[in-house]
């Protein structure tokens, strides 16, 4: 059931209660969790936070922590499947789901007792009507009762299939067929709605408990969705504009002494950022080479592309020795000119504004370096998906939480270092794909697999990094391909996941020409291909377009996928 008044029907209900909070492993969920955690601390609400990685992790976390719990909050998990069916809770347990995954399962939407959806009403307008998917027809439960008679000669009972019974059965069959069609059309595309962090921040605002810290968490959550290709640019801009008014309200400076912010305060400002990865914490040259949009347009993995980049930098008046040292150490006269110079010369090199500029927010705390929201997203993602096997996933979650809290600059620096390693591994793997011509057209889609034993394959055993590799590979392939259909072809990418069990992690992403919608159809396609081939694929991820499957089943799985998508 959709909650219309978050304060009355959600937050006030949790007062003086013990709450279990289950949080997905993504930056948006982590930001939403920290906002809710702050609100609970303000009102002394008892809570337990448990990070969950996939459906199996969700079930285990609920079983281990459900004792004595009546209220469970799920952040970025639980909306896309029947939560009551999966977890089998007791009747008194209530689930509050704040999840950006779409579509929402119809059972969750129409469960008026145990499931409460913390979502915007206008984002659930496509859900089927109750009568289309549910039917309370008692007469059909025992439709043959009263239609039996005893044969006078044999003594056996036989059914009288009168005309009314036949019509009822036909009508029921038509209704079931229509129900399957309606549910398939409703669930065939997966997408994302408003960031969970932004939804939680709006709750804090309505409770008059919003702060600059919470606002920054909402900004990072919205940026995470855009950086990881979950929401289109139009939706991102819509959310950024909504946040801009809050930034102005919290960071306003006046001429009066009481309105002047202390230098030690957290200050957030809106600006048009350079769309370059971690450039404030890297060299400008390396940042450009590892930024997807510019790297693909200039084809920087080739010698010709490197030459064009040198020309581009020279034309902007930026010496190579300056570009190859830390951005913070560049000459003070050059740093402010980088953005304007890139905008001035970008058209000549086939770049557009979206390739170079990203409207975003930056943060400054005291005299420390200015940091943008994308820096935090990349650093936190790298920590959440750490390849250090000595660390438990919960430790990674807590470290990422510390980065957002800005309690440890050392952890933030370590997160940035891990993010750079991730970016380098992605670019190196994309270059390998292109040099070896490994991206192959299967007709209705492209596919490529990271080979076992590849040096950086450990990075791609994690969903967000794998998605970034898939997107970079598709964009790079489209930049070099002579096939005019390349822009309209989706990509399926696989990487080694568990070598001992012989499994691979497989992701499917939509084609580039559907970027305005960012809707993914691979969830249903993978499901149908798995059923038709009896492949032991595991749909444990909260994103249905990411699956784990046996590496030996690849060929028959792909054959089925080709026939489904043709």
């Amino acid at each position: 059931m959709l909650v219309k008044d978050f304060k009355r029907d959600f937050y006030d209900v949790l007062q003086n209660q013990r709450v279990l909070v289950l949080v997905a492993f993504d930056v948006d969920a982590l930001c939403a969790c920290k906002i809710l955690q702050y609100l609970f601390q303000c009102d002394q609400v008892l809570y337990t936070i448990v990070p969950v990685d996939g459906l199996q992790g969700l079930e285990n976390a609920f079983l281990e922590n459900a004792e004595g719990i009546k209220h469970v909050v799920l952040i970025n998990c639980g909306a896309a499947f029947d939560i009551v069916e999966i977890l089998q809770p007791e009747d008194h347990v209530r689930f509050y789901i704040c999840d950006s995954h779409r579509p929402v399962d119809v059972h969750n939407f129409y469960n008026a007792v145990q499931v409460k959806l913390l979502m915007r009403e206008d984002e659930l307008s496509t859900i089927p009507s109750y009568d289309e998917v549910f039917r309370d027809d008692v007469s059909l439960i025992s439709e043959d009762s009263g239609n039996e008679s005893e044969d006078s000669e044999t003594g056996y009972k036989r059914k009288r299939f009168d005309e009314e019974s036949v019509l009822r059965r036909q009508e029921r069959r038509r209704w079931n067929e229509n129900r399957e069609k309606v549910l398939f059309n409703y669930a065939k595309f997966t997408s994302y709605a408003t960031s969970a962090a932004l939804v939680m921040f709006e709750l804090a605002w309505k409770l008059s408990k919003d702060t600059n810290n919470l606002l920054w968490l909402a900004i990072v959550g919205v940026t995470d969705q855009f950086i990881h290709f979950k929401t289109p640019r139009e939706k991102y801009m819509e959310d950024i504009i909504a946040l801009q008014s809050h930034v102005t309200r919290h960071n306003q400076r006046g001429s009066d002494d009481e309105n002047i912010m202390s230098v030690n305060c957290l200050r957030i400002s809106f600006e048009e950022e350079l769309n370059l990865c971690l450039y404030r914490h890297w060299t400008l040259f390396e940042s450009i080479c590892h930024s997807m949009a510019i790297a693909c347009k200039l084809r920087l993995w080739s010698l010709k592309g490197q030459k064009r980049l040198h020309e581009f930098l020279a034309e902007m008046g930026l010496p190579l020795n300056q570009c190859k040292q830390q951005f913070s150490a560049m000459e003070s006269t050059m740093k402010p000119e980088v953005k304007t110079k890139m905008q001035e010369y970008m058209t000549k090199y086939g770049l557009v504004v979206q390739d170079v500029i990203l409207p975003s927010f930056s943060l400054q705390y005291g005299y420390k370096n200015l940091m943008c929201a994308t820096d935090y997203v990349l650093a936190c993602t790298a920590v959440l998906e750490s390849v250090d096997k000595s660390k438990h996933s919960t430790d990674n979650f807590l470290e990422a939480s510390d980065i957002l809290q800005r309690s440890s600059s050392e952890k933030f620096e370590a997160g940035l270092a891990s993010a750079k390693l991730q970016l380098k591994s992605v670019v190196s793997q994309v270059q390998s794909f292109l040099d070896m011509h490994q991206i192959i057209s299967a007709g209705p889609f492209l596919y490529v697999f990271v080979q076992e034993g590849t040096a950086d394959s450990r990075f791609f055993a994690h969903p967000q990094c794998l998605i970034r590799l898939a997107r970079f590979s598709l964009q790079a392939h489209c930049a070099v391909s002579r096939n005019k259909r390349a822009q309209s072809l989706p990509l399926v990418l696989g990487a080694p996941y568990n070598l001992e069990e012989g499994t691979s992690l497989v992701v499917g992403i939509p084609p580039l020409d559907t970027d305005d919608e960012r809707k993914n159809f691979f969830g249903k396609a993978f499901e149908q291909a798995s059923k038709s081939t009896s492949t032991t694929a595991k749909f444990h991820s909260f994103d249905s377009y990411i699956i784990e499957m046996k590496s030996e089943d690849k060929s028959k799985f792909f054959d089925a996928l080709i026939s489904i998508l043709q």
Side-chain angles (χ1 to χ4, degrees), residues 206-224:
K206 288 173 184 175
L207 295 171
S208 300
K209 290 184 172 69
D210 57 319
T211 66
N212 230 11
N213 283 308
L214 302 191
L215 177 56
W216 180 248
L217 291 171
I219 289 168
V220 173
V222 168
T223 306
D224 172 58

Side-chain angles (χ1 to χ4, degrees), residues 24-202:
F25 265 86
D26 65 73
V27 177
D28 177 36
L30 178 57
C31 292
C33 172
K34 290 191 71 63
I35 294 172
L36 187 61
Q37 185 180 7
Y38 173 83
L39 297 178
F40 284 168
Q41 288 171 349
C42 287
D43 293 303
Q44 299 180 342
V45 176
L46 294 174
Y47 62 89
T48 301
I49 294 175
V50 183
V52 293
D53 187 9
L55 281 176
Q56 192 60 53
L58 179 65
E59 291 180 45
N60 294 339
F62 180 74
L63 287 173
E64 291 169 8
N65 298 277
E67 188 176 351
I69 293 289
K70 293 182 179 179
H71 302 278
V72 182
V73 178
L74 298 101
I75 301 178
N76 271 0
C77 56
F81 49 86
D82 186 351
I83 191 69
V84 175
E85 177 69 24
I86 292 287
L87 299 183
Q88 297 290 316
E90 296 182 21
D91 292 342
H92 63 264
V93 177
R94 300 290 180 268
F95 294 100
Y96 302 88
I97 303 176
C98 180
D99 190 355
S100 60
H101 290 90
R102 297 294 182 272
V104 174
D105 189 271
V106 292
H107 295 88
N108 292 336
F109 186 83
Y110 288 111
N111 189 326
V113 179
Q114 285 191 275
V115 182
K116 314 292 180 184
L117 302 178
L118 308 177
M119 301 169 184
R120 293 181 176 178
E121 188 174 2
D122 59 340
E123 293 175 342
L124 297 173
S125 57
T126 60
I127 201 153
S129 67
Y130 182 87
D131 292 335
E132 285 181 303
V133 291
F134 297 106
R135 180 165 179 169
D136 304 320
D137 195 342
V138 180
S139 64
L140 289 172
I141 296 173
S142 56
E143 61 184 16
D144 293 327
S145 58
N147 288 331
E148 294 180 351
S149 63
E150 189 172 303
D151 191 295
S152 57
E153 296 180 3
T154 63
Y156 290 112
K157 290 186 177 180
R158 64 182 182 187
K159 296 180 180 178
R160 289 201 316 268
F161 292 98
D162 57 24
E163 187 177 347
E164 185 182 348
S165 174
V166 171
L167 290 173
R168 266 204 308 271
R169 289 188 174 198
Q170 289 176 346
E171 196 270 333
R172 177 70 182 219
R173 187 167 56 251
R174 282 195 298 269
W175 184 87
N176 281 329
E177 289 172 356
N178 183 67
R179 179 181 188 272
E180 289 179 11
K181 183 180 177 182
V182 167
L183 287 176
F184 179 82
N185 289 334
Y186 171 64
K188 66 180 177 181
F189 291 110
T190 57
S191 59
Y192 294 85
T194 300
S195 150
L198 181 53
V199 171
M200 282 298 169
F201 175 76
E202 289 175 346

Side-chain angles (χ1 to χ4, degrees), residues 58-59 109 147 157 159 226 247 284 335 340 351 400 454 463 496:
L58 179 65
E59 291 180 45
F109 186 83
N147 288 331
K157 290 186 177 180
K159 296 180 180 178
F226 184 68
V247 169
L284 186 63
K335 283 193 287 188
T340 54
L351 302 173
T454 304

Side-chain angles (χ1 to χ4, degrees), residues 321-335:
N321 65 335
Q322 289 287 319
C323 295
K324 288 192 174 183
Q325 65 180 346
Q326 287 292 320
F327 183 81
S328 57
M330 284 179 69
E331 289 184 10
S332 56
T333 54
M334 288 185 179
K335 283 193 287 188

Side-chain angles (χ1 to χ4, degrees), residues 240-259:
I240 286 295
I241 291 168
L243 286 165
Q244 196 173 353
S245 61
H246 293 292
V247 169
T248 304
R249 182 167 54 86
H250 280 281
N251 296 269
Q252 190 172 14
R253 295 177 184 169
S255 56
D256 300 336
D257 289 341
E258 68 240 21
N259 289 331

Side-chain angles (χ1 to χ4, degrees), residues 504-565:
S504 298
L505 199 64
V506 179
V507 62
I509 62 169
L512 295 182
D513 63 4
T514 62
D515 246 16
D516 293 341
E517 295 181 342
R518 295 271 167 95
K519 289 184 176 181
N520 197 318
F521 54 81
F522 275 108
K524 279 291 181 187
F526 284 166
E527 185 182 324
Q528 290 180 348
S530 176
K531 284 180 181 177
S532 65
T533 57
S534 301
T535 306
T536 54
K538 295 179 181 178
F539 292 80
H540 284 169
S541 173
F542 298 126
D543 298 302
S544 61
Y545 53 84
I546 300 174
I547 64 169
E548 180 189 348
M549 61 179 290
K550 287 283 186 183
S551 301
E552 61 190 28
D553 293 335
K554 282 190 295 190
S555 58
K556 66 177 182 179
F557 181 83
F558 272 76
D559 288 342
L561 199 59
I562 291 168
S563 64
I564 288 169
L565 295 178

